[in-house]
Amino acid sequence: MKDVPDTETKNANEQLVAPQSIEPARESVPAAMPRVVIVGAGFGGLHAARALRNAPVQVTVVDRNNHHLFQPLLYQVATGVLSPAEISATIRSVLSKQKNAEVLLAEVTGVDVEAQRVLMHDESLPYDYLILATGAKDSYFGHNDWAAFAPGLKSIVQATAIRRRLLLAFEMAEKETDPQKRQALLTFVLVGAGPTGVEMAGAIGGLAHKTLVADFRHIDPREARIVLVEALPRILMPFDERLAHKAHTALTQLRVEIRTNSPVEAIDSEGVIIVGERIAARTVIWTAGVAASLAGQWLY
Ligand SMILES: Cc1cc2nc3c(=O)[nH]c(=O)nc-3n(C[C@H](O)[C@H](O)[C@H](O)COP(=O)(O)OP(=O)(O)OC[C@H]3O[C@@H](n4cnc5c(N)ncnc54)[C@H](O)[C@@H]3O)c2cc1C
């Protein structure tokens, strides 16, 4: 399968956005057949669609991307272990055998609850039953300006951008003669030691200590400084303490520096400030908070 595009970028949206003339087709579904609209083709939305495969309903799955994404393996795309196509599949192909389901590429912007219509920029779609499964987004705890310096890891676009940033950092360090600048290039900060932060830290450790180790002549990739920052007293706080301890040991073996009880106070183009200490880093990745998507607000 070829790389699938992610319509979160403007250009991709321009290429993939659905034609505006779909409204008549949507209206043509027989009146006797209740119409279920599912917004979002993540795990939740697709599971709901599949559960309705034998039901006497017409299912329409709407997603702003043309692909379903297996998010748990995004960190492997971000570190170059897997290609985007290995963790995604087009929504159409997933539902191709389900005769009562159709797929619509569109970004939902709201819901008119009274009129029972899903709103999508300049078009809308009627529903009898509505399932909103739009997932979560990054939360920067009120510091939205940090997003420009510390991308999150939720989509293919973000994963490939992080991959580029990581690999370029090693390339630029190879050419850099100023020791301080080189160190900043080889410093990678992960903000948030939940599962994503822990996986990313381990994967960057693997990149530095195994994958890239023999490939450079002017730097030793093993000198990369990988800092995993956590505001809480330990990593993987929601998990059993013994598991967290094992992960802690494994990360330490990869020379990941774990800084617990260390809330981030600032993030900018030069790096981060944690508990008053500045860490110069050219790569900062946000693996901390998530918040529900805006879909909940559409209903009120
Ligand atoms: C890096 C990472 C690692 C993870 N690791 C694990 C793990 O190991 N184990 C585990 O159990 N969970 C893991 N998770 C969490 C898990 O992936 C999520 O809980 C799960 O994907 C949520 O499914 P969902 O269907 O609710 O949302 P999503 O999978 O996020 O799907 C939402 C869908 O809605 C679409 N959408 C959103 N807004 C709109 C809109 N306005 N219009 C149209 N479409 C829209 C999106 O394009 C997307 O396709 C991980 C998550 C991440 C990011």
Side-chain angles (χ1 to χ4, degrees):
M1 191 199 312
K2 287 187 185 144
D3 274 14
V4 280
D6 188 310
T7 56
E8 280 175 4
T9 56
K10 187 168 178 289
N11 285 343
N13 254 332
E14 280 166 1
Q15 286 162 18
L16 284 173
V17 99
Q20 292 172 14
S21 60
I22 53 178
E23 181 77 2
R26 308 264 88 74
E27 300 286 10
S28 68
V29 173
M33 189 85 101
R35 187 197 306 266
V36 181
V37 173
I38 300 174
V39 184
F43 291 133
L46 278 188
H47 193 76
R50 299 300 304 276
L52 293 169
R53 64 188 175 279
N54 295 321
V57 293
Q58 171 65 35
V59 177
T60 303
V61 177
V62 187
D63 201 294
R64 63 186 172 196
N65 292 318
N66 74 335
H67 58 270
H68 166 73
L69 177 63
F70 191 82
Q71 288 181 3
L73 288 178
L74 268 176
Y75 79 99
Q76 299 223 11
V77 172
T79 48
V81 177
L82 294 176
S83 79
E86 287 176 282
I87 66 160
S88 56
T90 61
I91 302 163
R92 287 189 190 286
S93 68
V94 175
L95 292 174
S96 64
K97 294 201 172 111
Q98 187 169 332
K99 296 292 175 220
N100 71 343
E102 64 175 350
V103 179
L104 183 61
L105 177 72
E107 177 167 40
V108 173
T109 53
V111 175
D112 184 337
V113 178
E114 247 170 59
Q116 296 203 182
R117 294 189 85 89
V118 169
L119 312 176
M120 302 164 292
H121 296 287
D122 49 3
E123 56 194 16
S124 70
L125 182 64
Y127 64 81
D128 296 303
Y129 299 95
L130 176 64
I131 298 175
L132 295 176
T134 46
K137 60 186 177 80
D138 288 313
S139 166
Y140 287 82
F141 305 130
H143 297 279
N144 288 343
D145 53 310
W146 292 354
F149 310 110
L153 184 59
K154 290 246 167 300
S155 67
I156 291 283
V157 167
Q158 287 175 317
T160 50
I162 289 172
R163 180 180 65 188
R164 180 179 158 76
R165 206 184 265 214
L166 286 175
L167 297 177
L168 270 181
F170 285 99
E171 293 296 339
M172 288 161 74
E174 173 82 346
K175 292 192 289 189
E176 183 57 65
T177 51
D178 179 318
Q180 275 184 338
K181 288 183 184 166
R182 193 167 56 224
Q183 187 55 60
L185 282 163
L186 289 176
T187 300
F188 305 93
V189 176
L190 292 312
V191 182
T196 303
V198 165
E199 283 169 346
M200 271 304 287
I204 299 173
L207 203 61
H209 290 275
K210 292 176 189 147
T211 317
L212 299 180
V213 83
D215 295 354
F216 290 87
R217 298 292 170 264
H218 301 282
I219 57 164
D220 181 349
R222 288 171 297 190
E223 284 169 11
R225 184 181 177 199
I226 304 158
V227 189
L228 180 60
V229 179
E230 173 57 57
L232 296 172
R234 69 167 166 90
I235 66 167
L236 297 173
M237 204 61 187
F239 289 79
D240 185 276
E241 202 165 346
R242 281 167 306 170
L243 289 175
H245 182 71
K246 274 192 174 179
H248 194 290
T249 307
L251 288 176
T252 310
Q253 281 163 359
L254 284 168
R255 297 208 203 140
V256 174
E257 201 178 311
I258 299 171
R259 306 284 289 265
T260 49
N261 290 314
S262 301
V264 169
E265 288 154 9
I267 305 178
D268 55 31
S269 60
E270 303 299 314
V272 298
I273 298 177
I274 50 168
V275 235
E277 178 196 348
R278 177 168 274 285
I279 298 177
R282 291 288 294 275
T283 308
V284 181
I285 302 169
W286 186 260
T287 52
V290 291
S293 71
L294 294 177
Q297 296 169 26
W298 295 340
L299 301 177
Y300 302 102

